[in-house]
């Protein structure tokens, strides 16, 4: 479900059953449609739950899910203050609803609506935490509780006073400094990484000084390939040469002068007792063979 066409087709899985709602044009139409779906009586809900549990009746699973879609819409509205698309919140809540239906046991004496609340909220919570603008804004159970309650506990838009901080920290059983930090994150303004105008301010946008060129994936890959070429790739290519060819390549290209490198064709011709042209031919053939061996690293 997306914001462009959030409800053109809803297709989900509840224990393998396809759950579908007729095509509707937009989110408002979807909400109107699910609100018109009939609710289940306790007896009907129990019967459907038993059919699903005992016989894996997928039509029963479908009816249980469809009749509770309005619950997801209602719960999702509580999370609109985090700036995330309402359609996506509903979609995540629907996933939680289907998980609840799959685990629902009608013999426990609890209505599905009460049982599903936990699963719907859990899925929406995870979605909010993963997609909100602050990375790792809440990692512990206490921080998550603070994240989802602080906004509603504040009165107005003013900054919390030390007394307010103390009261909230005590009520939620968290540290006062955690309350202060979370408030700062919730009220902080977002800054665009790239400047949105052409007035010459691009050089001062965060992207200019936060980007690390050496960390670009393409450059990392190039460095890794280069290291492989210099290490195992080159060693493997040399190992495929005969002794004379290897000596020529190393003396001509792979050693410094103080290590016997930088030799000329005539130098090597005298060493092996052949012509300089013959050394050139051996060298060309060896280089061609090495090129083929190194192809796998490029």
């Amino acid at each position: 479900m997306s914001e462009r066409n959030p409800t053109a087709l809803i297709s989900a899985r509840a224990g393998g059953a396809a759950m579908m709602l007729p095509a509707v044009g937009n989110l408002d139409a979807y909400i109107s449609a699910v609100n018109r779906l009939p609710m289940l009586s306790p007896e009907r809900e129990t019967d459907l739950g038993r059919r699903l549990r005992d016989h894996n009746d997928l039509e029963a699973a479908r009816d249980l899910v469809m009749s509770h879609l309005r619950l997801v819409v209602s719960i999702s509205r509580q999370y609109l203050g985090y700036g995330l698309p309402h359609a996506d919140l509903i979609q995540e809540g629907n996933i939680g609803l289907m998980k609840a239906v799959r685990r629902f046991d009608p013999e426990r004496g609890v209505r599905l609506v009460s049982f599903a609340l936990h699963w719907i909220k859990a899925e929406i919570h995870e979605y909010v935490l993963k997609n909100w603008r602050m990375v790792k804004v809440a990692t512990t159970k206490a921080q998550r509780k603070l994240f989802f309650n602080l906004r509603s506990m504040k009165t107005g838009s003013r900054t919390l006073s030390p007394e307010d901080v103390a009261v909230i920290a005590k009520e939620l059983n968290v540290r006062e400094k955690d309350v202060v930090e979370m408030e700062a994150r919730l009220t902080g303004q977002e800054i665009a990484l790239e400047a949105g105008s052409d007035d010459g301010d691009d050089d001062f946008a965060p992207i200019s000084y936060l980007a690390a060129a050496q960390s670009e994936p393409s450059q990392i890959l190039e460095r890794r390939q280069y290291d492989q070429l210099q290490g195992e790739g080159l060693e493997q290519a040399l190992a495929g040469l005969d002794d004379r060819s290897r000596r020529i390549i190393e003396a001509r290209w792979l050693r410094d002068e103080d290590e016997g490198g930088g030799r000329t064709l005539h130098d090597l011709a005298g060493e092996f007792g052949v012509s300089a042209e013959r050394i050139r031919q051996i060298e060309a053939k060896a280089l061609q063979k090495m090129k083929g061996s190194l192809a796998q690293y490029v």
Side-chain angles (χ1 to χ4, degrees), residues 1 7 10 21 26-37 65-80 85-95 97 116-117 120-121 124:
M1 189 166 15
T7 55
I10 294 178
L21 209 61
N26 53 45
L27 183 58
D28 291 336
Y30 167 80
I31 294 174
S32 177
V34 299
N35 284 336
R36 291 196 301 270
L37 292 172
V65 170
M66 296 286 284
S67 63
H68 288 78
L69 291 178
R70 69 178 69 199
L71 173 65
V72 176
V73 171
S74 176
I75 294 175
S76 67
R77 287 197 180 101
Q78 302 171 21
Y79 299 89
L80 292 176
H86 192 191
D88 290 347
L89 292 170
I90 292 175
Q91 176 172 278
E92 296 302 316
N94 285 343
I95 294 173
L97 171 61
L117 278 172
I120 295 170
K121 289 185 176 181
I124 295 178

Side-chain angles (χ1 to χ4, degrees), residues 212-230:
Q214 66 272 20
S215 298
E216 286 290 332
S218 59
Q219 295 198 13
I220 293 174
L221 181 58
E222 288 177 4
R223 289 199 303 272
R224 185 177 302 162
Q225 291 176 331
Y226 179 79
D227 291 341
Q228 288 180 320
L229 279 171
Q230 292 291 308

Side-chain angles (χ1 to χ4, degrees), residues 165-179:
V165 170
V167 170
I168 293 175
K170 182 177 181 180
E171 183 172 342
L172 297 179
N173 193 27
V174 297
R175 297 175 301 179
E176 292 186 11
K177 71 174 187 177
D178 289 338
V179 176

Side-chain angles (χ1 to χ4, degrees), residues 1 52 70 92 104 117 132 169 181 189 192 217 222 240 270 280:
M1 189 166 15
L52 174 60
R70 69 178 69 199
E92 296 302 316
F104 178 56
L117 278 172
W132 204 54
E181 179 182 353
Q189 297 296 317
E222 288 177 4
R280 188 194 65 76

Side-chain angles (χ1 to χ4, degrees), residues 177-192:
K177 71 174 187 177
D178 289 338
V179 176
V180 174
E181 179 182 353
M182 188 63 70
E183 183 195 23
R185 291 185 177 186
L186 288 170
T187 58
Q189 297 296 317
E190 294 180 339
I191 301 176

Side-chain angles (χ1 to χ4, degrees), residues 247-268:
R247 163 63 182 154
I248 291 172
I249 295 299
E250 288 179 341
R252 290 272 290 158
W253 303 106
L254 302 178
R255 291 182 181 175
D256 295 330
E257 291 186 9
D258 56 355
E259 297 177 337
R263 304 290 296 279
T264 66
L265 294 175
H266 291 284
D267 291 337
L268 293 170

